[in-house]
Amino acid sequence: MCARATPLHVGIDATSWRNDRGFGRFTRELVTALAARNDDFRYTLFFDQPPATPMPDGVEVISAGTERNLAESAVGTSSRSLGYLWKMSRLVRQAQLDVFFYPAVYSYFPIFSTTPCVVCYHDTTAERLPHLLFPTKLNHRLWQAKTALAKLQTTRAMTVSQSSARDLERILRIPPDRIDVVTEAADAVFRVIDDPEVHAKARARHAIPADARLFIYVGGMNAHKNILNLLRAMPDVVARHPAAHLAIVGDTSGKGFWDNVPELQAFVRTHPPLDSHVHFTGYLSDAQVVELMNGADALVFPSLWEGFGLPAVEAMSCGLPVLASDRGSLPEVVGDAGLFFDPEDTQAIAGCLARFLDDRDLPARLREAALQRTKGFTWTRAAELAEASFRRCRRPSNRA
């Protein structure tokens, strides 16, 4: 009888586990899917502070015990200390790993070892639009330094769409034969809820009229998400369709990434009738988002650039059509389940939303296309592709 091969030992940077943005969700969902598969891999998660939530079965957890976690250290104008970086680096360096995986370059820290590394670069938005992502020049310079170090340590580069893969090649100058594309998917909680009472309660919770034609935005509140241009387009939409309303779902506390929430709120206050047609819901749980999505007419996604666009897949999983920017990965992800507009042209945005409301048959066609398209996005498939990347990384090769 042949002896069973020793599992490939993969260490994973889990410092972004508690982050509620896309890369935090990517980390949690992908690791959970990886752990649920087979015995060909052994996983060790490296945290800055002990996790506050249960971990997937079968994974090992190690914590560096830093004074602050990533969510507290690397937001706004602040950054992680040298002590933080040293503790994380030493912890990983001491482990006996075959491969080390960074699920997001955002949380990258150098490990100063010969362990081959897979680094996930979700997008190149920071390189394309630095003036919209960084509050200071120092923050931008620190990002550039971190990315340069990450590239030096990248054995294989992972990303989440073909659009981002092209950007990694063109903008970050990573050779295409070193790039692996995985996917993202919606959590199972994102589903169709065919219950008018649930829809009505979700609307009432945010003072949205029962008879409103409701557009919903879900995601970050940063300037590159282009919500301001969406708001600039809304007066024309409301003029043509007085029943049109917009719900903006996202954290308005200002405690996360650099955002332009005050500017958005001021624009709504000073541009009637937006003050009665735009609803800031604040942060909502996934379950609350699903209920509101199911009671909406379409998701609007006006971002200037996305590496994947997970809210689009989450919306499509609820049977919601997507009206999206024609930039970045969104056309690739949404496909025939939506309509597209130039995100820098407010008339184009208004025209797209009005067209959706004008056409009686279009919403039903897009809804059916959305439900069909979302079947192609699963975390199981993402885990399979990630495992293939880990195996390629282990083979002797040059750095990216």
Side-chain angles (χ1 to χ4, degrees):
M1 180 180 293
C2 295
R4 186 178 180 85
T6 302
L8 194 71
H9 189 188
V10 180
I12 300 177
D13 166 24
T15 57
S16 61
W17 190 275
R18 70 182 70 212
N19 182 275
D20 61 5
R21 296 294 290 259
F23 58 82
R25 187 180 292 271
F26 175 81
T27 301
R28 295 187 297 273
E29 296 283 5
L30 181 59
V31 169
T32 300
L34 288 168
R37 286 180 56 75
N38 54 50
D39 295 331
D40 292 341
F41 292 84
R42 171 188 165 202
Y43 295 104
T44 299
L45 307 185
F46 293 84
F47 284 83
D48 42 18
Q49 292 181 347
T53 56
M55 293 292 104
D57 292 338
V59 301
E60 181 183 4
V61 173
I62 300 177
S63 172
T66 58
E67 291 184 6
R68 297 197 299 170
N69 59 50
L70 178 71
E72 297 167 333
S73 303
V75 294
T77 58
S78 65
S79 60
R80 295 168 294 177
S81 68
L82 291 176
Y84 176 107
L85 298 174
W86 173 252
K87 282 187 175 181
M88 291 303 305
S89 176
R90 182 177 60 184
L91 193 69
V92 175
R93 194 171 63 250
Q94 291 172 344
Q96 299 297 312
L97 302 173
D98 296 311
V99 172
F100 191 70
F101 173 44
Y102 296 92
V105 71
Y106 172 79
S107 61
Y108 169 82
F109 52 87
I111 59 175
F112 305 113
S113 80
T114 58
T115 302
C117 295
V118 176
V119 182
C120 187
Y121 301 78
H122 286 254
D123 55 56
T124 57
T125 308
E127 285 70 30
R128 288 177 172 274
L129 304 167
H131 59 293
L132 299 181
L133 267 75
F134 301 105
T136 69
K137 289 184 178 180
L138 176 60
N139 287 110
H140 184 205
R141 295 288 181 262
L142 290 173
W143 174 267
Q144 290 176 312
K146 178 172 65 176
T147 303
L149 286 173
K151 282 180 59 181
L152 290 174
Q153 202 150 29
T154 297
T155 309
R156 297 204 67 82
M158 181 185 290
T159 194
V160 291
S161 67
Q162 294 297 335
S163 171
S164 280
R166 291 190 292 271
D167 277 355
L168 263 60
E169 179 184 356
R170 296 169 184 170
I171 296 175
L172 295 184
R173 304 296 183 185
I174 296 176
D177 62 350
R178 299 280 186 249
I179 300 172
D180 299 315
V181 178
V182 300
T183 186
E184 297 188 38
D187 186 275
V189 71
F190 290 90
R191 69 200 189 283
V192 174
I193 302 177
D194 192 12
D195 185 340
E197 185 176 346
V198 171
H199 306 169
K201 287 182 178 179
R203 288 186 173 214
R205 199 175 294 129
H206 304 289
I208 299 168
D211 61 348
R213 298 297 303 276
L214 180 61
F215 296 112
I216 182 173
Y217 167 83
V218 178
M221 306 293 284
N222 319 97
H224 76 281
K225 296 297 186 178
N226 201 38
I227 303 170
L228 185 58
N229 260 0
L230 173 58
L231 293 176
R232 288 170 175 155
M234 281 300 295
D236 286 346
V237 179
V238 173
R240 292 174 60 173
H241 294 274
H245 283 248
L246 171 66
I248 298 178
V249 180
D251 186 1
T252 57
S253 69
K255 295 180 180 178
F257 290 86
W258 186 46
D259 61 45
N260 64 337
V261 170
E263 183 181 19
L264 301 178
Q265 294 175 331
F267 187 89
V268 168
R269 285 194 307 270
T270 56
H271 288 77
L274 295 190
D275 54 345
S276 60
H277 284 256
V278 174
H279 312 265
F280 290 92
T281 71
Y283 174 82
L284 299 181
S285 68
D286 284 351
Q288 292 171 323
V289 172
V290 170
E291 291 174 352
L292 195 56
M293 279 185 171
N294 272 273
D297 289 83
L299 177 83
V300 186
F301 208 155
S303 181
L304 294 174
W305 204 262
E306 291 290 327
F308 184 80
L310 187 55
V313 176
E314 293 170 342
M316 290 190 295
S317 299
C318 296
L320 201 60
V322 180
L323 313 182
S325 161
D326 61 6
R327 307 286 173 86
S329 61
L330 293 176
E332 174 186 339
V333 171
V334 176
D336 62 353
L339 303 177
F340 301 94
F341 51 75
D342 179 345
E344 296 184 277
D345 184 340
T346 57
Q347 290 186 337
I349 299 173
C352 181
L353 272 59
R355 175 192 167 193
F356 177 83
L357 295 176
D358 286 337
D359 192 326
R360 284 188 173 186
D361 299 326
L362 183 60
R365 292 202 306 269
L366 294 180
R367 174 183 172 85
E368 181 59 31
L371 291 172
Q372 289 299 318
R373 189 159 186 83
T374 194
K375 295 177 181 178
F377 299 100
T378 70
W379 285 113
T380 298
R381 177 58 176 156
E384 291 173 353
L385 294 169
E387 287 176 349
S389 181
F390 299 155
R391 290 191 182 98
R392 295 187 195 104
C393 184
R394 182 68 199 285
R395 296 171 190 159
S397 62
N398 295 323
R399 301 290 182 188

